[in-house]
Structure formats: C-alpha cells, structure tokens
Amino acid sequence: MTIALESSPARAAAMADRLTLREKVGYGLGDAGGNVVIVLAMNFLNFFYTDVYGISPATVGLMFLAVRIFDAFADPVMGILADHTRSRWGRYRPWQLWVALPLGVAVVLAFTVPPLQGDARIAWACVTYLLLSLGYTAINVPYCAMINAMTVSRREVVSCQSWRFALCGAAALLVSTALPWLVEQWSGAGGPARGYQRGAAAMCAVAVAMFLCCFLWVRERIPLRNEAFSLRRLADGLRRNDQLQLMLVMSFLLITILNVRGGGYLYFITYVLRGDARYASLFFGAVALAAILGALLVGPLSRWLDTVRFYRYVNLALAAVSASMWFIPGGADAQLAWLLAMFGSGVVLGLCLPLHFSVMAFADDYGQWKTGVRSSGMNFAFNLVFIKLAWASGAGIIALVLYLVRYQAGVAQTATALGGITAIQTLIPAAIHLLLAFTLGFCRLDDATMKRVSQDLQQRHTDRPG
C-alpha cells in the first residue's frame, strides 16, 4: 500500500510549522541507536570473527555475503509491513518500540562465542548474524521512512539529517572509544571473548535507550491517507523514478566506502601502526569526533551551497585526500600523523551521510511528483537492500585483500600484507569516492528542481478534494 498526503488545513499548518528541537533530537537518537549496532558490526565484528572467534577471513567473507543476500529479501517485506502499519502511535514510529529489545539481544548473541566446534560454530555465527541483520531491518526501514511523515520542508529535512548524523557520530564515539577499553577490562579469565560479549551488552543497553527516546519524542506530523495500489503499480513507480534508482547505486557506493574503512580499522591499528587498546580508543575517538563535526557543518553550509553539487565536490575532495594518505608511512612512530590524517579526512567524510540521506528524501518526493505513487517505507526498504549489499561488499573486499596478501591472524605481517591493509584505508576508498562523484553527475535533484517539486505537490494536494 502506498501513501498519499491528505489535503486538509491541518496538513497545511503542519507543512508550515518548524519541527521542535526535541523532535529533531529524538529523530537523531533513533539512528544513533542504530549506529551503535552498525559500529559494533562494522568496526569490530569482522576482527572479532577472525582473531577471537577463530574463523578464517575467507569464511567470514562468504558468510557475510550469504547472509546479506538472504537478508536482502526481507527489506521489501519490511517496507510493505511499515507502509501497512496502523497504530495509535503512527505508521513508522512504533517500530522503534517493538524492535528495540530484540535487536539488542541479537547483537549480544552475535558477539558470543558458543561452546561449539567446527560447522556448528560457524552455523551459530551465521544464525546470530542473520538475526542481527533482520532486527536492524525491522527498526531501520520504518525509521528512514519516518522523516517523510514528519515534514516535507527541504530545510527541515536537511536540519533533521544534520542532527541525525551528529548524534550518530556521538554514538560512534561512545562505542569506538569505550568498547576496546571494556574488552580489556572485562576479559579476565574468559579472555577477549568474554570481554567482547560484555562490552557489546553494555553498548546495546545504550542503543535500546536511544530507540525508546526516539519513540517517545518524535511525532508523525503529516496526516496520511490510504491509497489502493497493486504491486505492479509499485514496481512501475520504482522503474519510472530514475533518480531513486540512481540513489540506490549511490547508497551502495557510499556504504561500501564506510564499511571498507571501518572494517579495516582494527587490522590497520594492530598491524600497521602497532597500536594498543589505548591507541585504538584514541584512533576511533578521533574518527568519531570528526564525523560529528562534519555532520554539524552540513546545516550551515547547505544554506549557501546546492545540496547535490556540494555532495559531489565532497567526494572529489575525498578521492584526492584518500589517495594521498597512501604515502604516509606506517609504524608506531607514525601514529600521531595518522591520527591527524584520519581526523582531517573524517571531517570531510562526515559531510557525506547527512547529504546523502537528504538527497534520498528528495528522491522520494521526486518519485511522487513524477509518478503519482508514494511509498516511503518501500523506497527506503529498497535503499536498505543496497546498503546491506554494500555491507557484504565491504566485508568481501576486506576478505579478498587479506586473502591475496596472505594475512595470518595474530602474527607479524609481511610487507605485502601491510601494504594491503593500508590500501584498505587509502587507495580502495579513493577509487570508490571517484566513482560516486561520477555517479552524482547524473543526479537532477538540485535545490531549484526540488523547490519546484515541493510547490507542485502542495498545489496538487490543495486541488485534490479532501
């Protein structure tokens, strides 16, 4: 079932009103909770599987790919469920309440080493990782669609995305700096496996609290009415929305970059920079602080720069910066230089996610304007399919590089292996940033176009009888 905006004086007033600070913070906390899960999975789970759980890099890569492909079919189903949801709390918002605790439990299970051996041990990893991914789907698809039930103002959408990713950066800072320390403190006689399980449980408790704050503070302010549709009409709407198709490709590229870099951090810190747990916390903290600063800069800068053009220039700059970082030497003596480099590039990288999801929301409005069909839940579900494929792609790239350079867990690496691990942080992201900038050249969702789209949609709903 797709969604159409209801024509009424209440809707017109809602469109004119600015969102409250509490709503923006609540909206941001919803994805901050999700980001706790993402940072745990993206920055630590790969290393946990290879160096603590005891799975080979090749097996981890195949497992991630298989689970993601299977799980991808759940995303459109979740989009349909979200669009069909009817509750006293709204259409998308209640999923923050319903899924929060089950998702937290699934993450803790994924970071648990069971008393199993061989294939049974691998099966446990596959099943718990699948549960983690399904739980994230169930909470994230409705969350992403919720912005279109809160406001149709371009400025408010960008402002919400800025708050969202600033708070996501704060969540990443918390997890990235706290987890290495918690693992060290709580390992004890149980070793790192015990430390990771308890550390993940502490982080998940914070994530659940964030999801619940989102549920309590956000309101779906835009009245919605039902509109009958067929699946064929929905598929036709997606086919005709060329800008949404382009956004799906861009989501795949951007999230692949983030997962390649994030999934390679611990390998880079441990083997290239020879850092300890304290340095790992400092490194992750610098990356997270940079992301927060970048997200906070999006709002002010977007007032002066066209959103799509701004996003393209950012990726061109990141391609150049990432490639130049290849020439920074490794070793313990270079730890400070890499902290500064990662912080500087991280500020620019922090601009990407708010810009990307702002343009994604524009594509949703553009699709309704062009096709007359709107299904925010389904659109963001398709987007999550590509995000999850990017998760698999990022893990696959890391696994392939580690396999090609003959990486061996827990031992000193060869010069070839060190070069491969460094390329994961530099040359590979640079190439994908360049491809993303090229793809943005075909995006037509500039500010002038979106202003016209917004005006036309408002006129259509005003002209439509209530």
Side-chain angles (χ1 to χ4, degrees):
M1 181 171 293
T2 56
I3 301 167
L5 295 175
E6 186 177 4
S7 177
S8 69
R11 179 188 179 278
M15 291 175 60
D17 290 343
R18 295 176 64 87
L19 298 181
T20 66
L21 178 61
R22 180 173 175 172
E23 285 179 288
K24 293 178 182 179
V25 172
Y27 176 76
L29 286 174
D31 206 33
N35 206 46
V36 170
V37 176
I38 292 303
V39 172
L40 285 171
M42 185 173 68
N43 290 0
F44 297 100
L45 196 56
N46 201 314
F47 185 86
F48 171 78
Y49 281 144
T50 59
D51 284 42
V52 178
Y53 202 94
I55 305 177
S56 71
T59 302
V60 172
L62 289 174
M63 181 183 74
F64 280 3
L65 180 61
V67 169
R68 287 302 176 200
I69 291 175
F70 177 82
D71 180 44
F73 290 100
D75 298 327
V77 174
M78 189 62 231
I80 294 174
L81 287 175
D83 283 339
H84 280 74
T85 298
R86 303 291 181 271
S87 80
R88 57 177 173 160
W89 300 303
R91 190 181 302 261
Y92 306 114
R93 174 177 159 237
W95 291 94
Q96 300 291 305
L97 173 65
W98 297 336
V99 185
L101 185 58
L103 176 56
V105 172
V107 176
V108 175
L109 292 176
F111 278 93
T112 297
V113 179
L116 302 170
Q117 299 298 326
D119 292 343
R121 195 181 183 92
I122 295 175
W124 171 277
C126 288
V127 170
T128 55
Y129 183 59
L130 177 61
L131 290 174
L132 182 159
S133 189
L134 289 173
Y136 183 77
T137 295
I139 208 164
N140 188 257
V141 168
Y143 171 83
C144 289
M146 188 166 60
I147 186 65
N148 294 94
M150 294 170 61
T151 182
V152 293
S153 165
R154 185 195 71 85
R155 176 169 292 184
E156 292 298 279
V157 167
V158 174
S159 178
C160 278
Q161 300 298 348
S162 182
W163 272 100
R164 171 187 180 182
F165 289 105
L167 290 169
C168 281
L173 175 63
L174 171 66
V175 177
S176 299
T177 56
L179 189 65
W181 181 80
L182 291 175
V183 170
E184 185 177 51
Q185 295 297 312
W186 287 347
S187 291
R194 178 184 180 186
Y196 271 102
Q197 183 189 49
R198 292 188 173 187
M203 295 298 99
C204 287
V206 175
V208 170
M210 290 177 172
F211 292 136
L212 295 179
C213 284
C214 178
F215 166 75
L216 292 170
W217 294 351
V218 166
R219 294 292 180 269
E220 295 186 12
R221 299 153 58 94
I222 307 299
L224 301 171
R225 69 179 180 86
N226 302 327
E227 180 179 318
F229 81 102
S230 67
L231 290 176
R232 178 177 297 179
R233 183 183 178 195
L234 176 61
D236 183 63
L238 176 63
R239 180 184 61 80
R240 292 165 58 196
N241 189 348
D242 57 306
Q243 295 302 292
L244 178 59
Q245 296 171 29
L246 190 68
M247 285 302 306
L248 298 180
V249 174
M250 290 159 55
S251 289
F252 176 80
L253 294 173
L254 177 61
I255 303 304
T256 295
I257 294 168
L258 297 177
N259 278 274
V260 166
R261 289 188 62 170
Y265 281 151
L266 274 178
Y267 297 101
F268 185 74
I269 293 167
T270 302
Y271 297 109
V272 176
L273 300 181
R274 299 195 292 275
D276 56 12
R278 182 175 299 179
Y279 180 76
S281 293
L282 186 61
F283 184 97
F284 282 121
V287 171
L289 281 173
I292 295 172
L293 181 57
L296 291 175
L297 289 173
V298 167
L301 292 175
S302 65
R303 298 191 186 102
W304 305 98
L305 299 169
D306 179 86
T307 307
V308 173
R309 189 177 299 115
F310 184 19
Y311 189 18
R312 189 180 187 206
Y313 291 159
V314 164
N315 277 280
L316 288 172
L318 284 167
V321 169
S322 297
S324 67
M325 289 166 61
W326 166 260
F327 299 99
I328 302 176
D333 293 339
Q335 288 181 358
L336 178 58
W338 274 101
L339 273 181
L340 296 174
M342 283 295 183
F343 182 81
S345 64
V347 171
V348 185
L349 185 62
L351 300 169
C352 286
L353 281 172
L355 290 171
H356 180 85
F357 280 92
S358 294
V359 179
M360 181 68 199
F362 299 165
D364 195 40
D365 288 337
Y366 175 87
Q368 184 189 11
W369 174 73
K370 185 176 182 181
T371 69
V373 176
R374 186 185 192 101
S375 181
S376 298
M378 282 299 297
N379 289 346
F380 283 98
F382 283 125
N383 188 58
L384 189 55
V385 170
F386 280 76
I387 287 175
K388 289 185 175 180
L389 291 176
W391 288 358
S393 171
I397 289 172
I398 293 172
L400 178 61
V401 171
L402 295 181
Y403 172 78
L404 292 175
V405 301
R406 302 293 189 268
Y407 167 81
Q408 296 292 325
V411 301
Q413 305 298 319
T414 65
T416 301
L418 294 176
I421 293 171
T422 303
I424 289 172
Q425 296 300 323
T426 57
L427 299 182
I428 294 173
I432 306 175
H433 276 301
L434 196 60
L435 183 57
L436 181 52
F438 173 79
T439 306
L440 275 160
F442 297 94
C443 184
R444 300 198 302 272
L445 304 176
D446 57 85
D447 290 352
T449 298
M450 292 314 301
K451 182 177 180 180
R452 184 171 71 254
V453 166
S454 179
Q455 291 172 345
D456 287 352
L457 288 176
Q458 290 183 39
Q459 187 61 46
R460 290 180 195 178
H461 297 308
T462 300
D463 295 342
R464 178 182 296 178

